[in-house]
Amino acid sequence: VEKLDSLLKGRVALVTGGSRNLGAEIVERLVKAGARVALTYLSQSAAAQDLQTRLETNESILRAYPSDLCAASISHLATRVREDFGPVDILVHNAGPYSSTRFLDLAEQEWDCIMNTNLKAAYLLAREFGPGMKAGGWGRIVFLGAVSAYRAESGVYGLAKSSLAWLCRSLATELAPQVTVNIVEPGQVEESVPELEQDEPGLAERLLRLTPLARFATRSEIASLIIALCSPPYDSVTGIRLPVDGGASINPLPA
Ligand SMILES: NC(=O)c1ccc[n+]([C@@H]2O[C@H](COP(=O)([O-])OP(=O)(O)OC[C@H]3O[C@@H](n4cnc5c(N)ncnc54)[C@H](OP(=O)(O)O)[C@@H]3O)[C@@H](O)[C@H]2O)c1
């Protein structure tokens, strides 16, 4: 991984929801790989500042932009990022809020927020940055999906993530041959188990029983795969869904 990492030197990356959790891990790996990184967050600027301090970077290498992708103007964000960094080479759309509300109980506002952040923002960001990557001769787009996309029980979140896989395949053809577009689909992330336990007690244990590798993937493992997708060994891989779930999607959890 170290050898592959140095190959991102000089690249500019944008990571949505990059201030904490999985997004922060992705940002850290990109910075260590030599990329200059713009990250977005919703409202908690302290997490972004902590990351900057931890990575010992300055604003020419890592800069954070507050942006509510549920409602924000993506073109405004894109203009600011381009002004500060120039053309973006790598887009990782990681912001993707979760919802477990059943459709019959779902408020329209929640539908809009989940769909806008997970799905519509992906299309708007790709429309903003994809043509520049193509014109520049190289680009990498990675969407964060979820194996919830394989479960009918997963509500509007699953709907957004399965549509994201469709968008990924379409964009992969539209942006070829200069740009690859792939979707990484985590199962339950190991570090997020405590959060899941609060929301849906007992679900993590059920999921684990149905996971052939008998463990959840870590943030570090998922971030490694994303970095690899931006590196030469994956240059001919585009339009694919990559579940990172210990095999849980082989036999999805029954409803
Ligand atoms: N965690 C899991 O087990 C799991 C499983 C499968 C798939 N995934 C997917 O993996 C990705 C990362 O998951 P995660 O659990 O690490 O994410 P997370 O903790 O929910 O993400 C936090 C980041 O997203 C930002 N954010 C939240 N809502 C936003 C909005 N409306 N607009 C813009 N930014 C927003 C947060 O900003 P603030 O700090 O300001 O709030 C923060 O930077 C997501 O796409 C998720 O769907 C996660």
Side-chain angles (χ1 to χ4, degrees):
V1 170
E2 285 308 312
K3 273 189 192 150
L4 296 177
D5 278 1
S6 62
L7 291 169
L8 298 183
K9 218 170 190 59
R11 300 290 187 196
V12 172
L14 170 63
V15 181
T16 62
S19 57
R20 55 189 175 90
N21 298 348
L22 177 57
E25 185 80 30
I26 297 165
V27 167
E28 180 167 348
R29 300 296 287 274
L30 285 165
V31 168
K32 286 186 175 156
R36 292 160 60 226
V37 182
L39 70 84
T40 74
Y41 62 95
L42 177 58
S43 58
Q44 298 182 45
S45 60
Q49 274 158 18
D50 286 352
L51 184 61
Q52 195 133 34
T53 309
R54 190 154 54 80
L55 297 183
E56 297 176 343
T57 55
N58 59 42
E59 290 222 315
S60 69
I61 293 172
L62 179 61
R63 194 181 282 251
Y65 303 81
S67 180
D68 181 357
L69 300 179
C70 176
S73 155
I74 301 273
S75 64
H76 178 64
L77 169 70
T79 303
R80 289 186 58 203
V81 171
R82 271 193 290 261
E83 274 169 10
D84 295 337
F85 285 96
V88 167
D89 305 298
I90 298 167
L91 165 66
V92 182
H93 180 43
N94 165 78
Y98 178 69
S99 156
S100 58
T101 314
R102 287 159 28 105
F103 280 109
L104 294 181
D105 301 323
L106 185 71
E108 191 176 344
Q109 199 183 4
E110 188 175 355
W111 165 289
D112 287 343
C113 188
I114 298 295
M115 290 299 270
N116 287 354
T117 311
N118 281 282
L119 181 62
K120 188 176 178 186
Y123 131 70
L124 290 172
L125 288 162
R127 204 181 62 174
E128 276 293 340
F129 295 109
M133 294 179 190
K134 211 169 153 59
W138 190 91
R140 295 289 176 264
I141 296 179
V142 183
F143 294 149
L144 265 297
V147 294
S148 306
Y150 298 85
R151 277 179 65 204
E153 199 192 21
S154 57
V156 67
Y157 177 74
L159 175 64
K161 293 299 198 189
S162 63
S163 305
L164 196 56
W166 188 266
L167 178 67
C168 160
R169 282 163 27 119
S170 300
L171 288 171
T173 62
E174 291 185 31
L175 291 169
Q178 297 90 346
V179 182
T180 66
V181 188
N182 294 295
I183 178 164
V184 169
E185 302 181 313
Q188 179 57 42
V189 175
E190 171 65 28
E191 292 90 336
S192 300
V193 168
E195 231 174 279
L196 180 70
E197 268 309 293
Q198 265 187 354
D199 286 354
E200 297 175 68
L203 181 56
E205 208 183 303
R206 272 174 79 207
L207 287 171
L208 204 54
R209 274 204 299 273
L210 292 164
T211 302
L213 297 188
R215 68 179 188 85
F216 299 128
T218 62
R219 287 177 189 150
S220 167
E221 288 175 306
I222 298 161
S224 292
L225 184 56
I226 290 167
I227 300 295
L229 282 168
C230 301
S231 309
Y234 283 83
D235 275 354
S236 56
V237 172
T238 195
I240 58 152
R241 305 173 73 157
L242 263 169
V244 191
D245 65 344
S249 54
I250 297 170
N251 289 309
L253 191 67

